[in-house]
Coordinates of all heavy atoms in Angstrom, one line a residue:
K548 N -2.1 19.0 5.7 CA -1.3 18.0 5.1 C -1.6 18.0 3.6 O -2.8 17.8 3.3 CB -1.6 16.6 5.8 CG -1.0 15.4 5.0 CD -1.3 14.1 5.7 CE -0.8 13.0 4.8 NZ -1.1 11.5 5.4
D553 N 0.0 9.5 -2.0 CA 0.8 8.8 -0.9 C 0.9 7.3 -1.3 O 0.0 6.5 -1.1 CB 0.0 8.9 0.4 CG 0.8 8.2 1.5 OD1 1.9 7.7 1.3 OD2 0.1 8.0 2.6
K560 N 2.7 0.9 -0.1 CA 1.3 0.4 0.2 C 1.0 -0.7 -0.6 O 1.5 -0.9 -1.7 CB 0.3 1.5 0.1 CG 0.3 2.6 1.1 CD -0.8 3.7 0.8 CE -0.7 4.8 1.7 NZ -1.1 4.5 3.1
M568 N -5.4 7.4 -2.7 CA -4.3 8.3 -2.0 C -4.0 9.5 -2.8 O -3.1 10.3 -2.4 CB -3.0 7.4 -1.7 CG -3.3 6.4 -0.5 SD -3.7 7.3 0.9 CE -5.1 6.4 1.5
D571 N -4.9 12.4 -0.4 CA -4.1 12.5 0.9 C -3.6 14.0 1.0 O -2.9 14.3 1.9 CB -2.9 11.6 0.8 CG -2.5 11.2 2.2 OD1 -3.3 11.2 3.1 OD2 -1.3 10.8 2.4
N628 N 8.9 4.2 9.3 CA 8.0 3.8 8.2 C 7.8 5.0 7.3 O 7.4 6.0 7.7 CB 6.7 3.3 8.8 CG 5.7 2.7 7.8 OD1 5.7 3.1 6.7 ND2 5.2 1.6 8.2
D630 N 5.7 5.4 5.2 CA 4.2 5.6 4.8 C 3.6 6.5 6.0 O 2.5 7.0 5.9 CB 3.6 4.3 4.8 CG 2.1 4.5 4.2 OD1 1.8 5.5 3.7 OD2 1.4 3.5 4.3
A631 N 4.4 6.7 7.1 CA 3.9 7.7 8.1 C 4.5 9.0 7.8 O 5.3 9.5 8.6 CB 4.3 7.2 9.5
E632 N 4.1 9.5 6.6 CA 4.9 10.7 6.0 C 4.1 11.9 6.5 O 4.8 13.0 6.5 CB 4.9 10.6 4.5 CG 3.7 11.0 3.7 CD 2.5 10.1 4.0 OE1 2.6 9.0 4.5 OE2 1.4 10.6 3.8
R634 N 2.9 13.1 9.1 CA 3.4 13.7 10.4 C 4.8 14.4 10.2 O 5.1 15.4 10.8 CB 3.4 12.7 11.5 CG 4.3 11.4 11.2 CD 4.0 10.2 12.1 NE 2.8 9.5 11.7 CZ 2.2 8.5 12.4 NH1 2.9 8.0 13.4 NH2 1.2 7.9 11.9
T657 N -5.4 13.9 6.5 CA -5.8 12.6 6.3 C -4.6 11.7 6.9 O -3.9 11.1 6.1 CB -6.0 12.3 4.8 OG1 -4.9 12.8 4.1 CG2 -7.3 12.9 4.3
L658 N -4.5 11.6 8.2 CA -3.3 11.1 8.8 C -3.2 9.6 9.1 O -2.2 9.1 8.9 CB -3.1 11.9 10.1 CG -1.7 12.0 10.6 CD1 -0.8 12.8 9.5 CD2 -1.5 12.6 12.0
T659 N -4.4 9.0 9.4 CA -4.2 7.6 9.9 C -5.3 6.8 9.4 O -6.5 7.2 9.4 CB -4.0 7.5 11.4 OG1 -5.2 7.9 12.0 CG2 -2.9 8.2 12.0
G660 N -5.0 5.5 9.1 CA -6.0 4.6 8.9 C -6.8 4.2 10.2 O -8.0 3.9 10.2
Q719 N 6.8 6.3 14.0 CA 5.9 5.2 14.2 C 5.9 4.8 15.7 O 6.9 4.8 16.3 CB 6.3 4.0 13.3 CG 5.3 2.9 13.1 CD 5.6 1.9 12.2 OE1 6.8 1.6 12.0 NE2 4.6 1.2 11.6
A759 N -9.0 11.5 7.8 CA -8.8 10.4 7.0 C -10.2 9.7 6.6 O -10.4 9.1 5.5 CB -7.8 9.4 7.5
Ligands
LIG1029 N1 -2.5 8.8 4.2 C1 -2.4 7.7 5.1 C2 -3.6 7.6 6.0 C3 -4.9 7.2 5.4 C4 -5.4 5.9 5.4 C5 -5.6 8.2 4.8 C6 -6.6 5.7 4.8 C7 -6.8 8.0 4.2 C8 -7.4 6.7 4.3 C9 -1.1 7.8 6.0 O1 -0.1 8.5 5.5 C10 -0.6 6.5 6.4 O2 -0.3 5.7 5.6 N2 -0.7 6.2 7.7 C11 -0.2 5.0 8.2 C12 0.7 5.2 9.4 C13 1.5 3.9 9.8 C14 2.4 3.5 8.8 C15 2.1 4.3 11.1 C16 -1.4 4.2 8.7 O3 -2.4 4.8 9.3 O4 -1.5 3.0 8.5

Side-chain angles (χ1 to χ4, degrees):
K548 166 179 171 181
D553 183 10
K560 288 181 182 294
M568 285 301 132
D571 208 24
N628 191 318
D630 196 12
E632 82 299 336
R634 57 198 77 180
T657 46
L658 204 63
T659 65
Q719 189 174 29

